[in-house]
Amino acid sequence: MDIKQKEQRAKAFDYLFDSVVITDLQGIITDWNKGSEELYGYSQSEAIGQPVSILHVPEDSVHITAEVIAAVEEFGKWTGEVQMLKKDGAIGWIESMCVPLLDDNNQVIGALGINRDITERIRKSEHLTQLAHYDQLTQTPNRYLLLERISHLINQCERNKSNFTLLYIDLDKFKIVNDSKGHAFGDKVLQEAARRMTKSIRKSDTLARYGGDEFILLLEGTRKRENIITISKILIDTLSKTFKIDNDTVDISCCIGIATYPYNGCTSEELLSFADDAMYKAKHKGAGTFH
């Protein structure tokens, strides 16, 4: 290759829209194009000599390195979608391909990575997932995600010979509040109710809006009867406290129906039906009760 061809290739490398990162066998950056400067925020002089790990979020570095090495050894290249870390600390996503660099004797002397920013695509995908699986008013899982999680728990408990409990929560007097003070006010009551309940449960448990003013709480893991009663009383207590919305106050409460897998049903339909019946029995007892 003559000098002019080398110059043209170097110019093309520098002006590729994609980020091109070249490293040695120790993972130290040895070359860096303008696409990399725009993507990561480091100038060429800042990047060269630095470990390539500065471009990854710390918790990903080890597994990415191992995955890339294994793929390159087996297939001669690696491709994947991974998180990236910019100079300013911002985290995004890249679509990346890595191939080995060989010397004249076909010995590996480093690696070349081509990276493309896909942050916006990932965010749109996550947004669509959010819309599909979460209630947009309360930001809790919706009916569809709830049914997925119940099905997952049933399969898990069947394998482990364990159980879980489903609480069917219906807000008392909500219809009166909604009709008398308007739907916008009622929406804020639902949001506050969801916030209060979420604060009262473990992170491993799932609170979902089932529809209208009805919520379902999934309590994972084996729980003694007294534990289930305790959490039911906590939820009733937290929802019985006065709601202050837009300089106005309202008092509501809830009734709770309880079903435990596998004693009260072995399918989603059976468990929900049992808990629904139990909730209506609680309503017959009066506001702020469980059955």
Side-chain angles (χ1 to χ4, degrees), residues 237-254:
D237 181 63
T238 193
L239 292 175
S240 295
K241 291 182 171 64
T242 298
F243 283 64
K244 296 179 181 179
I245 309 286
D246 295 340
N247 299 318
D248 200 349
T249 59
V250 291
D251 291 301
I252 63 171
S253 184
C254 72

Side-chain angles (χ1 to χ4, degrees), residues 31 68 102 108 115 162 172 181 204 251:
D31 209 349
V68 170
L102 308 176
V108 178
N115 310 310
S162 56
D172 295 320
K181 296 185 179 294
S204 59
D251 291 301

Side-chain angles (χ1 to χ4, degrees), residues 140 169 171 190-202 207-208 213-217 231 234-236 238-239 254 256:
T140 59
I169 305 158
L171 302 184
L190 289 173
Q191 289 172 328
E192 174 62 12
R195 187 191 67 80
R196 290 186 186 188
M197 288 189 283
T198 299
K199 285 183 67 176
S200 302
I201 62 175
R202 304 177 304 177
L207 177 72
D213 62 343
E214 297 173 331
F215 293 84
I216 301 289
L217 175 59
I231 187 63
I234 288 172
L235 292 173
I236 290 169
T238 193
L239 292 175
C254 72
I256 300 174

Side-chain angles (χ1 to χ4, degrees), residues 13 61-62 97 100 123 128 186:
F13 164 80
S61 289
V62 175
M97 179 178 72
R123 284 177 180 161
L128 290 174

Side-chain angles (χ1 to χ4, degrees), residues 30-279:
T30 59
D31 209 349
W32 181 266
N33 73 341
K34 289 189 181 298
S36 297
E37 290 185 0
E38 293 177 6
L39 179 60
Y40 293 103
Y42 294 99
S43 67
Q44 188 180 58
S45 60
E46 288 175 319
I48 290 178
Q50 295 293 325
V52 74
S53 59
I54 66 168
L55 309 179
H56 302 142
V57 294
E59 56 268 30
D60 286 352
S61 289
V62 175
H63 89 79
I64 288 174
T65 301
E67 186 180 317
V68 170
I69 291 172
V72 168
E73 286 179 349
E74 185 174 355
F75 305 110
K77 71 175 182 177
W78 172 86
T79 58
E81 296 179 357
V82 295
Q83 291 187 98
M84 65 170 170
L85 181 63
K86 298 189 177 187
K87 180 182 176 180
D88 63 5
I91 295 173
W93 284 86
I94 55 170
E95 183 177 56
S96 183
M97 179 178 72
C98 184
V99 295
L101 289 178
L102 308 176
D103 62 15
D104 293 338
N105 298 314
N106 279 332
Q107 296 299 306
V108 178
I109 57 172
L112 181 147
I114 301 173
N115 310 310
R116 179 171 295 177
D117 191 353
I118 58 167
T119 305
E120 194 58 35
R121 190 183 87 195
I122 294 292
R123 284 177 180 161
K124 284 180 180 177
S125 175
E126 289 174 346
H127 179 62
L128 290 174
T129 299
Q130 177 78 13
L131 290 174
H133 293 106
Y134 286 82
D135 174 59
Q136 297 308 295
L137 178 65
T138 62
Q139 299 304 306
T140 59
N142 62 17
R143 177 190 294 255
Y144 305 105
L145 184 53
L146 170 72
L147 292 174
E148 282 183 17
R149 292 191 177 175
I150 294 176
S151 178
H152 170 75
L153 276 175
I154 289 172
N155 292 333
Q156 180 178 291
C157 290
E158 190 175 5
R159 288 194 307 270
N160 302 338
K161 304 302 179 188
S162 56
N163 58 54
F164 70 92
T165 298
L166 184 155
L167 272 58
Y168 199 122
I169 305 158
D170 183 81
L171 302 184
D172 295 320
K173 296 180 282 191
F174 177 75
K175 188 176 186 306
I176 296 172
V177 170
N178 209 34
D179 290 345
S180 62
K181 296 185 179 294
H183 294 295
F185 187 93
D187 285 348
K188 291 179 181 179
V189 171
L190 289 173
Q191 289 172 328
E192 174 62 12
R195 187 191 67 80
R196 290 186 186 188
M197 288 189 283
T198 299
K199 285 183 67 176
S200 302
I201 62 175
R202 304 177 304 177
K203 287 185 178 179
S204 59
D205 297 327
T206 297
L207 177 72
R209 186 181 178 200
Y210 194 55
D213 62 343
E214 297 173 331
F215 293 84
I216 301 289
L217 175 59
L218 299 180
L219 303 175
E220 295 191 33
T222 303
R223 283 176 177 262
K224 296 180 181 177
R225 187 172 185 274
E226 52 266 33
N227 297 137
I228 299 168
I229 291 173
T230 297
I231 187 63
S232 298
K233 288 180 176 178
I234 288 172
L235 292 173
I236 290 169
D237 181 63
T238 193
L239 292 175
S240 295
K241 291 182 171 64
T242 298
F243 283 64
K244 296 179 181 179
I245 309 286
D246 295 340
N247 299 318
D248 200 349
T249 59
V250 291
D251 291 301
I252 63 171
S253 184
C254 72
C255 285
I256 300 174
I258 303 167
T260 297
Y261 172 90
Y263 314 113
N264 306 127
C266 293
T267 67
S268 301
E269 293 79 8
E270 290 171 351
L271 289 166
L272 287 165
S273 177
F274 187 95
D276 186 30
D277 289 342
M279 182 270 293

